[in-house]
């Protein structure tokens, strides 16, 4: 929407969404906003008066029930019709929910939106023991914030290490040790069997019938792309709404961007679905450019980040399928990098308090060159000098 106006698109723009809030940044939700260090208004991408100045028709608390491609219109749950010449689907994703007995008790929460955090913060006031289900980015970020607020924190994870889907064992071990040094307890290689309590959670029971006190439970077990609207409209869906390099679906009048999309990656030679702010913003810019008559393709090295305590983890690329790991620097220094290789080619980098390696690794990944591991491991040589 902002990119359309920047490119001098002068048509009518309708921005419709289910939430009661103007578009906002989600990453701070599990960090500074949860910690009470930011008011909700500081999360906004744009201030309220921007939308009036940009002549955008903002419709909050509006659920789109259907896309009528033949008539080029949207139907809202309230029965309203919204016509379009071009439609951009930015439906995002939703949290994956736990289904064990007790999952409907009070004080069982998820963290995806502003209102979720507000409910968690209200329950934190009357809680002492917090159980977090899932040791991914969100789970560990929440664990860090809540532990620093003075609560007892236990993290339950079915894998045998933290952040196992996205980082190497070296990085997993490093982060586990950092959390444990601050008093976080981990229960790994276990599954959640039930949440115990009468009307309100009082404990979580894991496999082996181990009961962990918990008067507040927060589940962070992944997200699911919101593709139902697109699928019902007959658009192709395959782990996301299928788009081309222009972020366009098979329907020339419909684009899709963000977490809900599956797009071709020239860097990795396959389709990917990314859950990141960078991807959502850059796909939106690509879609806007093409809507305005330009021919722009989306092709970038993806990147992500996670803040936990005073540690900044910056990730460039996708490490899936790596066959070798190279460590630059010493984990004990709390500033090091982990480079992932496949067939001798760098495909991803985890940089912990090492911003230079993070920035320089993006071009190294894009170059797709074979580089000797011993050269990569030499922290005295900058990565930019290797491509």
């Amino acid at each position: 929407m902002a990119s359309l106006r920047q490119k001098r698109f002068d048509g009518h723009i309708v921005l419709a969404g289910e939430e009661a809030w103007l578009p906002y940044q989600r990453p701070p939700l599990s960090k500074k906003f949860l910690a009470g260090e930011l008011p909700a208004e500081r999360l906004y991408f744009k201030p309220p008066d921007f939308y009036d100045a940009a002549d955008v028709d903002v419709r909050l608390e509006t659920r789109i029930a259907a896309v009528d491609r033949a008539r080029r219109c949207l139907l809202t749950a309230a029965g309203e019709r919204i016509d379009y010449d071009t439609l951009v689907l930015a439906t995002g994703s939703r949290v994956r929910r736990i289904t064990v007995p007790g999952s409907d008790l009070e004080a069982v929460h998820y963290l995806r939106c502003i209102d979720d955090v507000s409910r968690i913060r209200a329950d934190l006031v009357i809680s002492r023991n917090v159980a977090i289900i899932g040791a991914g980015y969100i789970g560990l970020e929440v664990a860090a914030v809540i532990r620093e607020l003075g609560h007892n924190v236990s993290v339950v994870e079915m894998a045998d290490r933290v952040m196992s889907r996205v980082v190497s064992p070296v990085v997993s071990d490093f982060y586990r040790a950092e959390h444990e040094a601050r008093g976080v307890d981990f229960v790994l290689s276990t599954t959640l069997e039930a949440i115990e309590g009468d009307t309100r959670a009082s404990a979580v029971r894991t496999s082996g019938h181990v009961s962990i006190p918990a008067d507040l439970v927060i589940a962070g077990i992944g997200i699911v792309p919101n593709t139902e609207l697109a699928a019902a409209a007959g658009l192709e869906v395959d782990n996301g709404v299928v788009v081309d390099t222009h972020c366009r679906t098979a329907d020339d009048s419909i684009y899709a961007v963000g977490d809900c999309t599956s797009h071709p990656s020239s860097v990795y030679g396959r389709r990917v679905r990314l859950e990141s702010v960078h991807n959502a913003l850059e796909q939106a810019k690509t879609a806007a450019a093409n809507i305005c008559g330009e021919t722009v393709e989306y092709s970038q090295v993806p990147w992500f980040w996670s803040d936990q305590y005073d540690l900044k983890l910056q990730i460039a690329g996708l490490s899936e399928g790596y066959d070798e790991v190279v460590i630059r620097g010493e984990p004990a220094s709390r500033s090091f990098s982990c480079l992932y290789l496949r067939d001798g080619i760098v495909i991803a980098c985890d940089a912990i308090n090492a911003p230079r390696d993070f920035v320089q690794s993006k071009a190294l990944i894009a170059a797709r060159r074979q580089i000797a591991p011993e050269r990569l491991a030499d922290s005295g040589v900058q990565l930019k000098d290797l491509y």
Side-chain angles (χ1 to χ4, degrees):
M1 174 269 301
S3 295
L4 286 171
R5 289 300 189 227
Q6 288 172 358
K7 292 183 175 296
R8 304 192 184 284
F9 176 80
D10 59 3
H12 183 55
I13 298 177
V14 176
L15 178 65
E18 287 190 54
E19 291 191 54
W21 303 89
L22 289 171
Y24 60 88
Q25 305 173 65
R26 294 190 189 276
L29 294 180
S30 57
K31 308 176 185 74
K32 290 189 174 182
F33 186 63
L34 176 60
E37 298 174 8
L38 283 178
E41 292 73 19
R42 287 279 303 278
L43 301 175
Y44 288 161
F45 279 109
K46 300 290 184 181
D49 57 4
F50 167 85
Y51 299 91
D52 289 333
D55 191 24
V56 176
D57 181 0
V58 179
R59 306 190 188 187
L60 303 178
E61 298 180 275
T62 298
R63 186 173 71 83
I64 304 302
V67 178
D68 188 330
R69 291 169 56 194
R71 294 190 295 170
R72 288 197 179 184
C73 70
L74 306 175
L75 302 175
T76 73
E80 182 186 6
R81 169 174 168 163
I82 304 174
D83 294 315
Y84 68 83
D85 295 312
T86 302
L87 172 65
V88 179
L89 295 172
T91 50
S93 53
R94 62 186 182 276
V95 294
R96 191 181 302 278
R97 295 189 170 267
I98 54 179
T99 57
V100 300
S103 58
D104 58 348
L105 290 172
E106 294 178 22
V108 176
H109 295 282
Y110 301 87
L111 197 158
R112 183 63 182 167
C113 64
I114 287 176
D115 292 335
D116 289 338
V117 179
S118 297
R119 287 187 284 266
I120 291 171
R121 286 166 60 178
D123 270 346
L124 278 171
V125 175
I126 56 174
S127 301
R128 179 61 181 166
N129 300 309
V130 180
I132 296 171
I133 313 303
Y137 295 140
I138 296 297
L140 294 189
E141 288 172 1
V142 170
V145 170
I146 292 180
R147 183 63 192 133
E148 291 199 313
L149 290 174
H151 299 266
N152 299 323
V153 177
S154 298
V155 179
V156 177
E157 168 61 47
M158 65 186 301
D160 62 356
R161 58 188 179 89
V162 306
M163 298 189 290
S164 62
R165 287 195 311 115
V166 291
V167 303
S168 70
V170 171
V171 178
S172 290
D173 292 346
F174 172 80
Y175 270 89
R176 178 180 176 179
E178 288 284 339
H179 280 273
E180 288 181 332
R182 291 167 173 82
V184 175
D185 292 324
F186 287 94
V187 184
L188 304 178
S189 301
T190 191
T191 55
L192 178 69
E193 291 192 344
I195 299 174
E196 301 173 337
D198 294 326
T199 59
R200 182 182 176 88
S202 61
V204 296
R205 189 173 74 247
T206 67
S207 54
H209 302 287
V210 176
S211 185
I212 302 169
D215 41 19
L216 173 60
V217 179
I218 302 172
I221 58 172
I223 63 174
V224 180
N226 292 323
T227 59
E228 291 80 5
L229 196 63
L235 298 173
E236 184 180 359
V237 171
D238 182 10
N239 185 35
V241 182
V242 174
V243 297
D244 62 17
T245 55
H246 307 290
C247 298
R248 187 187 290 116
T249 70
D251 184 324
D252 287 345
S253 66
I254 302 179
Y255 293 76
V257 300
D259 289 10
C260 69
T261 67
S262 166
H263 71 273
S265 168
S266 61
V267 177
Y268 294 99
R270 57 183 171 86
R271 283 195 163 272
V272 299
R273 186 179 65 79
L274 302 174
E275 301 163 6
S276 78
V277 173
H278 167 252
N279 175 66
L281 293 177
E282 293 304 318
Q283 282 194 323
K285 292 176 184 177
T286 300
N290 285 287
I291 290 170
C292 291
E294 301 176 27
T295 302
V296 176
E297 293 191 345
Y298 178 63
S299 177
Q300 298 191 21
V301 173
W303 58 270
F304 319 82
W305 81 94
S306 177
D307 293 322
Q308 299 170 39
Y309 307 112
D310 58 343
L311 299 167
K312 179 172 284 293
L313 168 61
Q314 294 171 292
I315 298 176
L318 302 173
S319 61
E320 180 183 355
Y322 71 89
D323 55 29
E324 187 173 3
V325 174
V326 174
I327 304 299
R328 284 171 60 86
E330 294 294 334
S333 72
R334 305 180 79 247
S335 174
F336 69 102
S337 297
C338 178
L339 296 169
Y340 300 84
L341 285 69
R342 183 170 61 232
D343 299 327
I345 296 172
V346 178
I347 59 172
C349 173
D350 295 340
I352 295 89
N353 287 348
R356 187 174 66 181
D357 278 1
F358 165 69
V359 171
Q360 295 182 5
S361 69
K362 293 186 216 175
L364 188 63
I365 293 165
R368 296 192 58 78
R369 288 184 51 211
Q370 285 192 325
I371 302 172
E374 56 269 22
R375 296 189 68 199
L376 292 169
D378 187 351
S379 56
V381 176
Q382 293 192 45
L383 293 178
K384 69 178 182 179
D385 296 329
L386 300 179
Y387 53 84

